[in-house]
Amino acid sequence: MPTEAKRRVIDELREQLGRSSTLIVSEYRGLTVKEIAEIRRSLRKQDVTYRVVKNRLMKIAASDTRGSALDALLIGPTAIAFGTDESATAKAVIDAVRPFKQVRITGGLLGDRAIDADGVTRLATLPSRDVLLSQVAGAIAAPLATTAGLFDAPLRDVAGLFAALADQRAAAA
């Protein structure tokens, strides 16, 4: 039976899982407490929370919210980065752990879908969600603007012809 302290930790993890859309799981074996604090500080500036978790407690917390997708990633000493923007979170974690060669990213969770370490690396190279949305909006707006210009061109040409005709008649008179 879990103790009261473990129940509180499970509740905190459930709450954190509910607020986060992206989880990046890493193995921190060989890091000192000072180095982990340095990673946390670096990630906090990017609105990402980095937390060392007990695998069993995380599995219990995730079973209610994310299902069993996270279970395969929870092996060995585990630290999880919790974030809201998929690509920004992945990029922040990769940048924060780069100086520490002993940290190994094992995978991640996007919503309720698990991705491997290569998927996290590919995700980090994507632009942020806002940039992607603006690129999609631009891709939709560009053909519409071109079409509007094509419909407008004959009217412009006719107006130019009438203006030239008026100028010609004014010069003749």
Side-chain angles (χ1 to χ4, degrees), residues 45-58:
K45 294 175 188 173
Q46 308 288 330
D47 292 330
V48 177
T49 305
Y50 191 71
R51 184 171 180 172
V52 173
V53 296
K54 287 190 172 266
N55 293 340
R56 180 74 181 128
L57 298 181
M58 189 65 189

Side-chain angles (χ1 to χ4, degrees), residues 2 7 10 13 29 64 77 79 90 111 120 128-129 142 148 157 163 167-168:
R7 283 191 195 105
I10 291 170
L13 288 172
R29 190 183 317 257
D64 298 342
V120 172
S128 69
R129 178 185 298 265
D157 293 344
D167 290 342
Q168 186 181 22

Side-chain angles (χ1 to χ4, degrees), residues 70-150:
L70 191 60
D71 292 353
L73 300 172
L74 297 175
I75 298 170
T78 304
I80 299 180
F82 298 88
T84 55
D85 185 356
E86 293 86 0
S87 64
T89 301
K91 183 173 178 12
V93 171
I94 287 175
D95 289 344
V97 301
R98 185 172 289 134
F100 306 102
K101 300 297 182 203
Q102 60 269 45
V103 176
R104 185 176 67 86
I105 294 178
T106 56
L109 200 66
L110 301 175
D112 58 353
R113 200 179 108 227
I115 59 173
D116 60 356
D118 291 334
V120 172
T121 306
R122 286 193 308 273
L123 183 63
T125 62
L126 288 176
S128 69
R129 178 185 298 265
D130 295 335
V131 172
L132 287 174
L133 289 175
S134 64
Q135 287 175 345
V136 168
I140 291 170
L144 295 176
T146 303
T147 304
L150 290 173

